[in-house]
Amino acid sequence: MTMNFFRGVMGGQPAGPQPTGAETIHKLCDRVASSTLLEDRRDAVRALKSLSKKYRLEVGTQAMEHLVHILQTDRSDSEILGYALDTLYNIICNDEEEEQDMAAAPPVSGKHKNVPVSDENAQKQEEDLGVLFTDKFLGDSENVTLLLTLLEEFDFHVRWPGVKLLTALLKNQCNQVQGVILVSPMGVSRLMDLLADSREVIRNDGLLLLQQLTKGNAAIQKIVAFENAFERLLDIITEEGSSDGGIVVEDCLLLLVNLLRNNSSNQNFFKEGSYIQRMKPWFEVGDDNSGWSAQKVTNLHLMLQLVRVMVSPVNSPGATSSCQKSMYQCGLLQQLCTILMATGVPADILTETINTVSEVIRGSQINQDYFASVNAPSNPPRPAIVVLLMSMVNERQPFVLRCAVLYCFQCFLYKNQKGQGEIVATLLPSTIDANSISAGQLLCGGLFSADSLSNWCAAVALAHALQDNLTQKEQLLRVQLATSLGKPPVSLLQQCTNILSQGDKIDRRAKSEKGSKVQTRVGLLMLLCTWISNCPIAVTHFLHNQENVPFLTGQISENLGEDERLVQGLCALLLGICIYYNDNSLENYTKEKLKQLIEKRIGKENFVEKLGFVTKHELYSRAAQKPQPVFPSPEQMLFDHEFTKLVKELEGVITKAVHKTSEEEKKEEEVKKTLEQHDSIVIQYKDLIRDQDTQIQELREQVSTLSLNSEQMHNQIIQQQSQIQQHKDQYNILKLKLGKDSQGLSSSQGEGAHVNGLHSEELSQLREEVEELRRQHALQHTQLSDKDSLINTLRCGAAAAAQTAEGGAGGSDNTELLGEVESLRSRVQAQCAEISQLQTERQELIRRAEAVSSAPASSSESSTDTVKVSELESRLAAQTTETERLKEECRGLREGHAGLEQQLASAQSTVAIEQTEKTKLQQEVQESKKEQDDLLMLLADQDQKILNLKQRLRDLGETIDEDEDELDTRDQFGEDDDDDDEEDEENND
C-alpha cells in the first residue's frame, strides 16, 4: 500500500528504479508547500508522519519548516494539525520505546544502513538528533507560543499530540522552553487547564507535562501552586485510590514533590491551606499488610518523601517547626508511628517511615515527647525507642535499616535535653531495672559487641546523648560496668579507653580485616572527644588513667599506613581537647606539661599535621553535608555529621593552644582572672540594682494600694450622693402632696366660716396652735442659723486643706483628694439650698395658718355647724401629723449633715497622710537615684580598666572576642537606662 502511494507521488510510473527515502520526503515536502487543495496537503503530511520514525533525520531536516507553516495556516482543519503535531513529536522525541521500535525495524534505504553499531552509540545519536531538532524548532520562540495556542483546542486529535510535543521539548531543552512559557500571557494557566480535562489520557499526559515544566524553576512552581494545583492534585489522588491507586497517583505525587522541594513559599502555602491534614488518610494501613503491590510501595514511598520535603533539615527552622506542629496536631505523626510499629510492612517502606518520623520529630520538643511515649504492641509493651535500638545493634538487620534507626535516635536527641537525660538515666546505677531491657543497656551492649558496625552506631548514639549537655557528661562519669566475675567494676570512660588502648582486644573482637578495626576505633574516639570536650571534670577523669596519654602520644608519633592516619588524627584531636579544656587539677598532666610532652615526643608541627588529617579525609566532607547518615557501604561509615561540626570548632583553637608559650598562658590566665573579678563586681552591682528595682516595685505597689483606697472612698461618696438624690425625690413627692392638702383645707375653712361660723373656744384653740407653730418655726430658724455658721467653718477648713494640697508635690493622688473635697463642698451647698427651701415652705405654712385664724374672726356671728367643725378638726389634725413628719425629715437631714462633716474630716486626714507618704517616697527615690549614679560611675571605671586589659592582650598578640563583652556591657547600661526611665516616671507621678 505504501509503495502504491509512492508511485502516485512519483507520477505513477509502474517500472524503473525506486526512489530513495530522502527523495520521497523531498517530493512530499514540495507537495505540502505547493498544493492548493487541503486534501492534498493532508495526504502529504500523513505520509510524512508515517515516514518520520524510520527517516527521522530526513523528515526533520526537510519538513520541519513546512510542518510549522501548516500549524500556522491550516488552523481550521483539526486532522491536518494532528498529523503535523504527531510528525514533529516523532522527530523531536527520544522515547526509549520508539527508539527500540526504530532499531528493530530494517532500514529501507538512504542513510539508514544495516551497520552494526553498539546500543550506547545509537542511543547517543538519537538523543543528539532530538536536541538538534529541538533547537531548530525553538529557533523561533513564536513556535512555542503557537503550540500553547493550539492546546486551547478541545479536539482530541490536536490537544493530545500538542501535549506530547511540548513535553518532549521540555525534556530536551527545559530551561529555554520554561523561559518562553513564563513570559507568555496565560501560558501556565493554559497548561493547568489540562488537569481539568475529562479525558484521562490528556489529563495524565498533562501531569507528565507539568512535571517537566516545574523542574528547577521556582517562579513557575509558584504560579502552578497559586493556580490551585494542590487542590486538584489531592483530589485526583483521592479519586484514584490514594496509596492503592495506579501510576496516576505516582505522577501526582512526583509533581507535588517538584512544587514543594526547596520552595519555602509553596511549602507555606501548602501548610496554610490545611493540605497537610489531607495527607493523614494516605498512611492508614490495615492489620493485614501482606501482598503489597509494587505500585503501592512506590506510591507510599513518594508520600513519605513528600512529608520529608515539608520538614527537611535544609528548610528554614521556622517553616520546619510550623509544619512539625501541624503534623502533630492533625495526627499525621501518630499515624506514621502506627506504621512504624505495625507488622508485615515491607522493609523499604519501614526504613523510609523511620527516616520520615526522624525528621518530623527533629528539634520539636512536643513531637519528641510524643515519640518517647510510643510503645510497641508487644507483651509486655516496650518503648518504640528500645525496639528500634534492638534493630540498630543487631548485625542481622539490613544496613539501610540500621542507618535509619541511628538517624531516628539522633533526631530524637537533637536539642532535647530532657530526652538526653532520660537515656543517660537508664545507665545510672540507681535506675537500672534487671527485669527489662533499657536503651542504655542496648547501647552498652552494642558499644562492646564483636560487630564493628554496632560499635560505631552505639558510640555515635551515645555521643548524641551527650551533645551540648554538660550535666549528662558529668552524670555519665558515674556509670560503672562489671567486666568479668571477680573483678571490681570499672567506669564506662575507663572501659572505652581500655578497649581503645588495647589493640589485641580489638583484633579479637573484629571479625573482618582492617576496616572493621578502624571503624570501631573511630567510633570510640568520636565518643570520647564528644564526651570530654567542654567538660574539665571528664578531662581530669580521662587523664587520671596513667596509660591514656602514653597511648595517644604513641599512636600519633608512629608512621602508620594510609588507613591509620584517620585514627592518628582523632588521637591528636583527643589529646588537644585534654590540653584546651584542662583545669590543671592533675599535677603530672597540666597544660604546660602536656605541651612539653607533645614537643618532645611528637613535635608541634607534626602534631598539627596529624590533626589536619581528619578534615582532609574524603568521608569527612561527605558526612558534613547533611545530618542523615547515608553511606554506600558499611565500611564507609566513619564520620557523624554532628562530630564534623565539633572538629571544625576545635581544630583552630587546639592548634593555637599547642603553640602558646608558658608566658602567654600566664598572661592569659591573669587577664582571665581580672576579667572574672570584673565580672563578679558587675554581677554584684547588677544584684544591687535588681534589689533596688524590687524596692521601687514595692513602693509602686504601695502607691497603687493607696490609689485603690482613694477610689473606694470616691465610690462610697457616689453611693451617698445617690441616696441623697433618692431622699430629694421622696421629699418632692411629699411637698406636692402637702400643697394639695393645704389648698383643700383653706377652701374648706373659708366656706365653713362664711356659712356656719365657729365657736370662740375653738378659734382660741386654733390661735394657740398657730402660736405653737410659730415658736417651733423660730426654734428651727435658730438651729438653721447654727448650722449655717458650722457650714461656713467647714468651708474655711476645706479651703485651707485645698491650699495645703496645692502647695505640696502637685501629684495625681492630691488632685483626686482635692476633687473629693470639692465634691463634699458641693454637697454642703446643696444641703444649704435644701434648708433654705424648707425655711421658705415653713413661712408659707405660717402664712396659711394666719389666714385660717383671721377668717373666723370676721364671721363670729355665723351659725355653727358641728359636722363642719369636726371635719375641720380632723383636717387640722392631719396637718399637724404632716408637720410632725416634716420635723422628722429635718432631723434626718441634720443627722446626714453631721455624717458628711465626719467624712470631710476623714478626707482631710487622708490628704495629710498621703501627702506625708508621698514626701517619703520622693525622698527614697532621690536617694535611689543618687546610689545608681554612683554605681554608673563605678561601672564606667571598671569598663575603662577592661579596655586597658584588652589592649594589653592585643599588644601581646591575643585575639579578643569582643561580641560577648560588648553584649554584657550593653545589657548593663540597658538596665541602668531602664532604671533611670522608671525614676523619671516616678518623679512625673
Side-chain angles (χ1 to χ4, degrees):
M1 180 177 180
T2 304
M3 294 305 295
N4 292 334
F5 176 74
F6 285 163
R7 291 190 188 97
V9 173
M10 298 303 292
Q13 297 178 358
Q18 297 298 322
T20 64
E23 293 173 349
T24 303
I25 293 169
H26 181 70
K27 294 286 187 180
L28 292 173
C29 291
D30 288 341
R31 187 175 175 185
V32 171
S34 59
S35 296
T36 56
L37 294 177
L38 179 61
E39 290 78 5
D40 293 340
R41 294 196 300 275
R42 185 190 302 130
D43 292 339
V45 175
R46 184 189 297 115
L48 288 172
K49 173 190 172 184
S50 63
L51 297 173
S52 59
K53 292 184 179 180
K54 295 181 181 180
Y55 299 97
R56 183 181 181 187
L57 178 62
E58 290 81 358
V59 174
T61 304
Q62 300 182 38
M64 181 174 288
E65 294 181 0
H66 302 292
L67 295 172
V68 172
H69 185 70
I70 289 294
L71 297 178
Q72 295 172 345
T73 57
D74 292 331
R75 295 285 300 276
S76 59
D77 186 70
S78 60
E79 190 174 357
I80 192 173
L81 291 177
Y83 293 148
L85 291 170
D86 282 332
T87 306
L88 288 171
Y89 173 73
N90 290 338
I91 63 178
I92 288 175
C93 179
N94 290 321
D95 194 358
E96 294 181 359
E97 294 181 359
E98 295 179 359
E99 291 169 2
Q100 293 173 0
D101 294 341
M102 185 174 59
V108 178
S109 61
K111 295 184 179 180
H112 289 268
K113 306 286 184 178
N114 191 8
V115 180
V117 182
S118 65
D119 294 339
E120 184 177 353
N121 292 336
Q123 173 73 17
K124 189 175 185 306
Q125 290 176 2
E126 296 299 333
E127 291 179 355
D128 292 342
L129 280 179
V131 175
L132 175 65
F133 293 136
T134 299
D135 292 338
K136 185 176 180 181
F137 185 83
L138 296 177
D140 186 0
S141 61
E142 292 297 326
N143 292 340
V144 179
T145 305
L146 174 63
L147 194 55
L148 292 173
T149 305
L150 292 174
L151 289 179
E152 293 182 348
E153 296 288 340
F154 186 74
D155 192 286
F156 180 81
H157 297 90
V158 177
R159 201 172 206 186
W160 187 39
V163 171
K164 294 193 296 181
L165 175 58
L166 188 55
T167 305
L169 292 172
L170 282 165
K171 287 181 179 179
N172 294 336
Q173 290 291 352
C174 186
N175 294 335
Q176 190 173 352
V177 179
Q178 284 175 337
V180 177
I181 294 176
L182 193 58
V183 299
S184 177
M186 301 296 293
V188 179
S189 298
R190 293 172 181 172
L191 300 180
M192 284 297 301
D193 291 339
L194 298 174
L195 298 182
D197 200 302
S198 58
R199 294 159 294 194
E200 289 189 1
V201 63
I202 294 179
R203 183 200 67 183
N204 297 343
D205 283 348
L207 288 171
L208 300 177
L209 170 60
L210 290 172
Q211 284 181 27
Q212 297 296 327
L213 180 65
T214 55
K215 282 185 177 179
N217 193 306
I220 292 180
Q221 291 169 1
K222 292 179 183 178
I223 296 174
V224 171
F226 282 98
E227 288 285 345
N228 205 24
F230 294 141
E231 186 73 28
R232 295 185 184 182
L233 292 173
L234 293 175
D235 288 342
I236 294 174
I237 291 173
T238 303
E239 293 170 2
E240 295 292 330
S242 297
S243 60
D244 294 321
I247 195 169
V248 177
V249 174
E250 178 183 349
D251 292 336
C252 291
L253 292 170
L254 288 171
L255 180 54
L256 283 171
V257 171
N258 279 355
L259 294 175
L260 293 174
R261 177 176 283 136
N262 299 327
N263 194 317
S264 57
S265 175
N266 282 2
Q267 290 174 7
N268 185 63
F269 182 63
F270 192 85
K271 179 185 69 68
E272 295 296 335
S274 300
Y275 296 118
I276 291 179
Q277 288 82 334
R278 296 186 60 178
M279 297 168 65
K280 180 188 174 184
W282 296 352
F283 305 102
E284 294 177 355
V285 297
D287 297 333
D288 185 13
N289 293 318
S290 60
W292 285 38
S293 65
Q295 186 61 55
K296 181 175 181 179
V297 172
T298 301
N299 291 342
L300 201 55
H301 186 87
L302 287 172
M303 290 172 178
L304 293 169
Q305 187 178 351
L306 186 62
V307 176
R308 293 185 65 183
V309 165
M310 299 294 296
V311 293
S312 174
V314 301
N315 297 341
S316 63
T320 299
S321 175
S322 179
C323 291
Q324 288 172 334
K325 183 178 179 181
S326 297
M327 290 178 183
Y328 173 76
Q329 291 176 345
C330 73
L332 179 58
L333 174 60
Q334 293 84 329
Q335 201 66 48
L336 293 174
C337 291
T338 302
I339 298 178
L340 203 65
M341 295 292 104
T343 57
V345 179
D348 52 348
I349 293 298
L350 180 60
T351 302
E352 188 62 19
T353 303
I354 294 174
N355 289 327
T356 305
V357 171
S358 304
E359 295 183 351
V360 172
I361 67 174
R362 187 177 189 268
S364 175
Q365 187 64 54
I366 184 172
N367 291 5
Q368 290 168 337
D369 292 343
Y370 171 76
F371 183 72
S373 67
V374 175
N375 289 323
S378 59
N379 191 14
R382 287 178 177 171
I385 296 175
V386 173
V387 175
L388 292 176
L389 288 178
M390 292 172 68
S391 300
M392 186 186 74
V393 298
N394 187 354
E395 57 184 311
R396 292 189 296 272
Q397 293 292 339
F399 172 65
V400 291
L401 178 63
R402 299 175 73 180
C403 290
V405 173
L406 176 61
Y407 184 45
C408 185
F409 191 73
Q410 292 173 349
C411 292
F412 169 68
L413 297 179
Y414 182 71
K415 294 183 178 179
N416 183 12
Q417 293 192 353
K418 177 182 177 183
Q420 290 175 325
E422 292 172 353
I423 296 298
V424 173
T426 60
L427 287 165
L428 299 178
S430 59
T431 58
I432 292 178
D433 185 4
N435 298 324
S436 63
I437 300 176
S438 65
Q441 293 172 352
L442 290 172
L443 291 178
C444 282
L447 192 63
F448 307 122
S449 71
D451 178 32
S452 61
L453 185 59
S454 296
N455 300 154
W456 191 91
C457 291
V460 170
L462 197 55
H464 276 261
L466 307 176
Q467 196 76 36
D468 299 327
N469 196 326
L470 180 60
T471 302
Q472 301 311 321
K473 291 178 182 180
E474 296 176 356
Q475 287 291 324
L476 200 63
L477 295 173
R478 299 170 48 203
V479 176
Q480 300 290 321
L481 300 175
T483 56
S484 60
L485 294 175
K487 291 185 178 181
V490 297
S491 67
L492 177 61
L493 180 66
Q494 183 66 43
Q495 183 66 10
C496 291
T497 56
N498 289 342
I499 294 177
L500 187 63
S501 61
Q502 295 173 7
D504 55 341
K505 290 187 178 181
I506 296 179
D507 291 338
R508 291 196 300 270
R509 290 176 181 276
K511 288 186 175 181
S512 59
E513 291 82 19
K514 193 178 297 183
S516 295
K517 292 189 291 184
V518 170
Q519 191 174 44
T520 299
R521 297 169 73 186
V522 168
L524 289 172
L525 285 169
M526 287 195 298
L527 172 60
L528 290 174
C529 289
T530 305
W531 190 346
I532 71 173
S533 65
N534 199 24
C535 185
I537 298 177
V539 172
T540 303
H541 278 71
F542 180 81
L543 295 176
H544 189 72
N545 185 357
Q546 301 294 328
E547 300 176 358
N548 290 339
V549 174
F551 166 73
L552 293 178
T553 54
Q555 286 286 317
I556 300 169
S557 60
E558 290 182 5
N559 293 322
L560 302 175
E562 186 72 23
D563 295 332
E564 295 292 332
R565 285 188 174 183
L566 177 58
V567 176
Q568 286 184 309
L570 291 174
C571 289
L573 178 66
L574 184 59
L575 185 57
I577 293 173
C578 292
I579 295 174
Y580 187 71
Y581 291 108
N582 196 333
D583 58 359
N584 297 325
S585 59
L586 293 178
E587 184 178 356
N588 294 332
Y589 293 111
T590 61
K591 288 184 178 182
E592 187 60 30
K593 290 186 177 180
L594 288 176
K595 287 192 290 185
Q596 292 175 1
L597 186 64
I598 290 175
E599 187 172 4
K600 291 178 181 179
R601 296 190 180 181
I602 304 172
K604 292 183 178 179
E605 298 301 329
N606 188 26
F607 178 85
V608 174
E609 181 182 0
K610 297 292 178 68
L611 181 61
F613 287 161
V614 179
T615 55
K616 293 177 182 177
H617 201 280
E618 177 186 0
L619 297 179
Y620 174 89
S621 303
R622 184 181 300 177
Q625 292 176 0
K626 55 183 179 179
Q628 183 180 0
V630 179
F631 303 97
S633 62
E635 293 77 17
Q636 297 183 1
M637 200 171 186
L638 289 179
F639 283 105
D640 172 59
H641 177 75
E642 292 296 327
F643 181 73
T644 60
K645 295 181 180 179
L646 180 66
V647 174
K648 185 177 180 181
E649 177 185 349
L650 293 178
E651 183 181 11
V653 296
I654 289 175
T655 302
K656 195 172 182 180
V658 170
H659 284 291
K660 283 181 181 178
T661 63
S662 58
E663 295 180 357
E664 292 175 347
E665 289 281 351
K666 291 180 180 179
K667 291 180 180 178
E668 185 176 352
E669 289 295 332
E670 292 177 359
V671 172
K672 285 184 178 179
K673 290 180 180 178
T674 305
L675 291 176
E676 289 175 357
Q677 292 176 358
H678 165 264
D679 291 340
S680 63
I681 294 173
V682 170
I683 290 173
Q684 291 177 1
Y685 285 133
K686 284 184 178 180
D687 293 337
L688 181 59
I689 292 172
R690 290 191 187 96
D691 293 339
Q692 291 179 347
D693 289 340
T694 304
Q695 293 176 1
I696 292 174
Q697 185 64 28
E698 292 175 354
L699 294 175
R700 286 181 174 176
E701 291 176 356
Q702 292 178 5
V703 172
S704 300
T705 304
L706 293 175
S707 300
L708 181 62
N709 293 336
S710 177
E711 184 177 356
Q712 291 176 353
M713 292 175 61
H714 182 67
N715 293 333
Q716 291 177 359
I717 291 174
I718 292 175
Q719 292 176 358
Q720 291 177 356
Q721 288 177 348
S722 63
Q723 293 177 359
I724 291 174
Q725 185 64 37
Q726 292 177 0
H727 290 311
K728 286 181 180 179
D729 295 338
Q730 294 176 1
Y731 175 74
N732 290 331
I733 294 172
L734 293 173
K735 183 176 66 176
L736 292 174
K737 183 178 180 181
L738 179 61
K740 292 179 180 179
D741 292 341
S742 299
Q743 291 177 1
L745 177 61
S746 299
S747 59
S748 299
Q749 288 176 348
E751 291 175 358
H754 287 291
V755 175
N756 300 320
L758 294 174
H759 296 290
S760 57
E761 294 179 358
E762 294 174 351
L763 291 177
S764 300
Q765 185 177 0
L766 288 174
R767 289 191 182 94
E768 291 177 357
E769 290 178 356
V770 169
E771 290 296 332
E772 182 64 25
L773 287 175
R774 285 179 179 176
R775 286 194 300 271
Q776 291 177 359
H777 172 67
L779 179 61
Q780 290 179 356
H781 183 70
T782 303
Q783 293 176 352
L784 287 176
S785 299
D786 296 338
K787 291 296 180 183
D788 287 340
S789 62
L790 179 59
I791 289 170
N792 291 330
T793 304
L794 291 175
R795 285 178 181 175
C796 295
Q803 292 177 359
T804 303
E806 291 174 357
S812 59
D813 295 336
N814 291 342
T815 303
E816 294 179 0
L817 293 173
L818 289 175
E820 294 176 2
V821 171
E822 289 294 332
S823 175
L824 291 172
R825 186 184 300 168
S826 61
R827 290 176 57 193
V828 171
Q829 292 176 355
Q831 289 184 348
C832 291
E834 290 179 6
I835 293 171
S836 300
Q837 186 176 4
L838 289 174
Q839 291 175 350
T840 304
E841 292 174 357
R842 289 299 181 191
Q843 292 176 358
E844 180 67 22
L845 289 174
I846 293 171
R847 185 182 62 79
R848 290 178 182 177
E850 290 176 349
V852 170
S853 61
S854 61
S858 60
S859 55
S860 57
E861 296 177 357
S862 317
S863 61
T864 61
D865 189 352
T866 306
V867 177
K868 288 292 183 179
V869 171
S870 300
E871 183 179 357
L872 183 60
E873 288 176 352
S874 63
R875 288 184 178 179
L876 183 59
Q879 181 69 23
T880 303
T881 304
E882 189 68 19
T883 301
E884 292 295 329
R885 192 171 63 80
L886 288 176
K887 289 180 182 180
E888 292 294 329
E889 289 286 340
C890 291
R891 191 178 298 108
L893 289 176
R894 285 195 296 271
E895 292 175 356
H897 185 67
L900 290 177
E901 290 175 356
Q902 294 177 358
Q903 289 182 5
L904 180 58
S906 176
Q908 291 173 352
S909 175
T910 303
V911 169
I913 293 172
E914 291 185 350
Q915 182 62 33
T916 304
E917 288 290 334
K918 181 170 183 180
T919 304
K920 182 179 178 182
L921 288 175
Q922 288 176 345
Q923 291 176 355
E924 292 178 352
V925 168
Q926 292 297 329
E927 291 175 0
S928 176
K929 183 175 181 181
K930 183 178 179 181
E931 291 178 359
Q932 290 184 356
D933 291 338
D934 295 338
L935 291 177
L936 288 174
M937 292 296 293
L938 184 56
L939 288 175
D941 294 338
Q942 291 294 329
D943 289 336
Q944 186 61 38
K945 291 180 181 179
I946 292 172
L947 292 175
N948 294 336
L949 291 173
K950 288 181 180 177
Q951 187 61 38
R952 288 178 58 190
L953 282 175
R954 293 191 187 95
D955 295 339
L956 293 173
E958 292 292 326
T959 302
I960 302 302
D961 188 5
E962 296 289 340
D963 296 337
E964 182 177 359
D965 292 334
E966 289 180 1
L967 180 61
D968 192 15
T969 305
R970 195 180 303 116
D971 291 340
Q972 172 189 344
F973 285 102
E975 291 181 359
D976 295 338
D977 294 339
D978 292 341
D979 294 337
D980 293 339
D981 294 339
E982 292 175 357
E983 292 174 3
D984 294 339
E985 293 177 0
E986 185 68 30
N987 291 332
N988 292 333
D989 293 339

